[in-house]
Amino acid sequence: MSKIQVEDINRNIYDIKNEDEYAFKIQKGLNREIVEEISRQKNDPEWMKEIRLKALETYNSLELPTWGPDLSELKMDEIATYVKPKSKLNTSWDDVPEEIKNTFDTLGIPEAERKSLAGVGAQYDSEVVYHSMKEDLLKQGVIYTDMETAVREYPEIVKNYFMKCVPVNDHKFVALHAAVWSGGSFVYVPKGVKVDIPLQSYFRLNSPESGQFEHTLIIVDEGASLHFIEGCSAPKYNKVNLHAGCVELYVKDNAYLRYSTIENWSKNMMNLNTKKAIVGKNAQIDWVTGSFGSKVSMLYPMSILNGEGAKTEYTGITFAGKGQNLDTGFKVIHNAPNTSSVVNSKSISKEGGACTYRALVRIAENAKQSKCSVSCESLMLDDNSRSDTIPVNDIQTDEVEFSHEAKIGKISDKEIFYLMSRGLSEEDAKAMIVRGFAYPISKELPVEYAVEMNNLINMELKGAIG
Amino acid sequence: MLKVNRTPVRTSRNFKINNIKLEDVNIPEKVWSFKPATITSSNLVENNVAVSGLTYGLGDSLLKNVMQCANHKAKITVDKQDKDIKMIYHFDDENTNLINYIEIDAKENANVIVEYKSNTEKECFVNSIIKIVACQQVMINVFVINLLNESSNFFLAMENSLEENSNLQYTVIDLGAKNSIQNYYANMTGESANNDLQAIYLGRKNQLKDINYIAELRGQKTNVNIDVQGALKDNAKKNFKGTIDFKKGCKKAKGDENEYCMLLSDRAKSIALPMLLCTEDDVEGNHSTASGKLNEKEIFYIMSRGINKQEATKLIIKARFQKILERICDEEVRNELMEEIDRRLD
Amino acid sequence: MKTLLEMKDLHANAGEKEILKGLNLTIHEGEVHVVMGPNGAGKSTLANSIFHNPEYTVTAGSIEFEGENIQDFTTDKIAKKGIFMSFQLPEEIPGISTLNFLKFAKGKMTDRPVKIFEFKKQVEEYMQELNMNPKLIERNLNVGFSGGEKKKNEILQMLVLNPKLAILDETDSGLDVDAIKTVSKGIEMFKNDKNAVLIITHNTRILSHLKVDYVHILVDGKIVKTGDSRLAKEIEENGYAKYK
């Protein structure tokens, strides 16, 4: 059988580099002066400035993780943590400066807004340059704005929720985030309001040797529902960029949130992102995650099921190619009776890429009658690549149903033969099998992303071996 | 504090599974010779052997302890077939500390039973290394049985090397000790080597089980199967770490790993970390773990035949253990274990 | 009559082991052939060797289709030449619906885009004839199909792809009486004087529903006797002992 090569993502549209033009770029590195300067630039209220400075202390006191991918290429002294683009926050695409708008145009963002979204936010480097939402949602009391506006206009809400779901000392990069965060989205969906079409925030990091630290805070109040989509990309530079965002989600009793992410950072990106959700009684959070980009990722969305009957589903695919080390997975804490979780994870490794599925399931002592089922499958496309499965299952009580299954292997020769006997060429057969493998995930993605993902899985024969 | 039995791949410290920390365990350094040891074998048994190091093992402190203080060592070179190698360590009031090194070089087929048992109420201590080399074409069957009393400490490092076409059947029955810490490593270098590891653990009261099984598949067409069945009562706690590591070059290798933990109390704690590591594409790896209480329907069905709930529960647990226990050909040993399991489930 | 398949002195291995030891078989248009034989005689090796299954190797002899040597053809090219093989154990392919798969394969086979509406109608008609649950075409290819459903799905694919030669490998095994009738009906629907069928089986049940031209007895990698349907009858009564 011959070996296949899965083509790389056509990165042309992501790789459009704009001149590194900015209104303000903070000096590289990290110290108290830099954090104070960011705070001054952002006109922080005093309480926020305090959070930042305290977080910096925490950052300095914490060690780098002693596990997972190698982070030694990341030199904080060479990263600019704040880059203010030459644009203010706009509510009309026409007002966004030409060059920045062109970038988002190419990425299809304004187009998507017209077609299928209820609201859009767009961040360029450290600041949100565009935010808008459909009129009727505004009338129903839905708030969708950039994080800085939220700090100014809804300080009481932000104070109650900011860095409460994800504690500042969670790990070193959370502390870093809390010290230098900038941009991101704030969403509040009032009680009982159902937002039928998705909101989307798009994060673009253009500036080289810089970091993006957007903060996303979403509160879906009792009985409300929302679908939120997050997209990320950046052009490739030779030096390492850093993304250490933070996503805090509060899904109140009987509420529903679906959080979809398509992460397509360039391959010089260290993606050290943190996402957590606190889920109330009979509420549900569903995560849909596609991880395709970045050089190194450490990303483990977490659902904390605090309310009785809370549910969560995680559906994720990770696709690691040449030079990529993508360490992803899911964490769930069952903290109340009758909670349930379903995990479905897939990964594809090729051309020396490494995928790790790292996960935690914890069913606490009081979480009687809880259920959890986990399935992970890894596909190895060649023998230069790597695929590891490292799931921790911590079960602290007996009245539970817990099961975990994992599989690792290559495309089955038998399946290829079967399809070829029906007239499919070897490459068609393999492409069909890989698409079929990814299908349970791609079907959960918004349509335009699913199409994009299928296009990624275009294969060609690389020449016969043995 | 003793920090031992490192997991081969580290993960987040918050998951509390990178190693096991034990308070109040003293590693005895001055020990007398261990008298109630009986070794039976038709092959030559040497007692004066040098202790060599371990690839994984339980950690430096325990390895050093065996190297410096071992009070019972045995090396058996199996040159002629031997179906009845027995190494029995029965602890009594005078002999409570065993620092033990066993090496078996199997050039011919063999059956081996190693049993640790307390015939005393006193706290016992075992720090043991069992090393096995399964030479080409050899079929070797090993049973390790822990029946120590529940105030004892049991440390066991098993290391195995599998040559071409060898077949190693390993069975671990872990019922005893307060802290029972096991490390198992199979280095599968030989083409078509086969390793079938099956284990039972049963924890009750405050027993702690820390189980760390590692198989590295290096040779082509190697095959490993790890099957672990356990039950936890009362406040018992178990960490199971099972790693199947497909190393580069192990084309057409297969690895299966399955752990099933029956929880019999709402205070019992079970952590499982079943790992698959893979740097080769032409392999098949599967793992599954499950835990939970016994199936109510099964219990109901058995009770409808006039059996009380406790008996029904025992019946189901023993049924799950049965397949593994049946590997023990020695009927006497098997019956002894059945009785022991019965007693500990009461 | 045009010659479709011609195998001469075929030797083939399954893995390392020699299974076919000099097999000769010629099939013309309009013929129905049956190869019968005890387990291990080489029946599946025969089908898989024609189809260039990587688990089997042809070590000597020749396989020609319509006068062309097809031994070095890849499996898909053999299929495109007009040979179909039904599998004993059809693979389950998750993530692709049966209908989309059929449409895709038909497109590849004919090198023409398939008009979905007419195509679907045609497929549904076939399914009705084969007593298949119409919902099956929306399900993923063979995933979760029962044994009988899988076998019928193979016959459905044969009808849809409409080959010149259909090789049916143990299509009747594991089926109940009704399913065998349905499968036979599918073969009857397919059969005309321009194509041919090669049925590989170890029992004679399916033959009572079909008109058969030749019956070959395959024992230990060779065809030891060829006759008409009366030969199948004889095997039914006396077994293979006589030929071993």
Side-chain angles (χ1 to χ4, degrees), chain A residues 172-270:
Chain A
K172 194 169 179 78
F173 296 97
V174 166
L176 170 66
H177 169 90
V180 301
W181 76 270
S182 178
S185 291
F186 172 77
V187 186
Y188 174 76
V189 186
K191 280 184 191 172
V193 174
K194 313 257 185 218
V195 183
D196 298 329
I197 22 182
L199 298 179
Q200 174 171 354
S201 285
Y202 201 95
F203 302 102
R204 174 79 181 171
L205 181 55
N206 180 66
S207 189
E209 294 187 284
S210 60
Q212 195 166 59
F213 305 92
E214 86 287 351
H215 194 93
T216 302
L217 175 56
I218 298 178
I219 301 156
V220 186
D221 216 330
E222 289 172 23
S225 76
L226 173 70
H227 181 187
F228 189 85
I229 303 170
E230 166 193 81
C232 331
S233 73
K236 182 163 168 72
Y237 294 102
N238 293 326
K239 294 276 178 68
V240 165
N241 274 15
L242 171 65
H243 175 235
C246 180
V247 174
E248 297 187 280
L249 309 174
Y250 298 86
V251 190
K252 303 282 181 167
D253 295 357
N254 301 305
Y256 176 78
L257 173 61
R258 183 183 181 88
Y259 195 91
S260 305
T261 303
I262 302 300
E263 180 273 299
N264 208 347
W265 294 116
S266 56
K267 291 184 185 173
N268 60 319
M269 182 68 88
M270 295 276 185

Side-chain angles (χ1 to χ4, degrees), chain B residues 55-56 158-160 183-187 212 214-216 218:
Chain B
T55 306
Y56 288 95
M158 297 161 273
E159 188 166 291
N160 308 287
N183 184 284
Y184 177 97
Y185 169 55
N187 186 20
N212 191 4
I214 303 151
E216 288 178 349
R218 297 174 189 278

Side-chain angles (χ1 to χ4, degrees), chain A residues 271-332:
Chain A
N271 182 34
L272 310 172
N273 214 1
T274 307
K275 300 178 178 183
K276 284 189 191 182
I278 293 179
V279 190
K281 207 167 150 184
N282 293 318
Q284 179 163 352
I285 172 128
D286 292 344
W287 304 88
V288 180
T289 298
S291 295
F292 305 109
S294 85
K295 179 186 180 67
V296 169
S297 271
M298 291 176 80
L299 175 58
Y300 324 97
M302 180 173 188
S303 293
I304 305 167
L305 306 178
N306 277 348
E308 198 169 335
K311 288 190 173 67
T312 186
E313 276 186 35
Y314 171 84
T315 313
I317 189 157
T318 303
F319 193 159
K322 197 173 175 181
Q324 291 185 285
N325 187 348
L326 307 185
D327 198 307
T328 61
F330 178 61
K331 296 189 278 187
V332 56

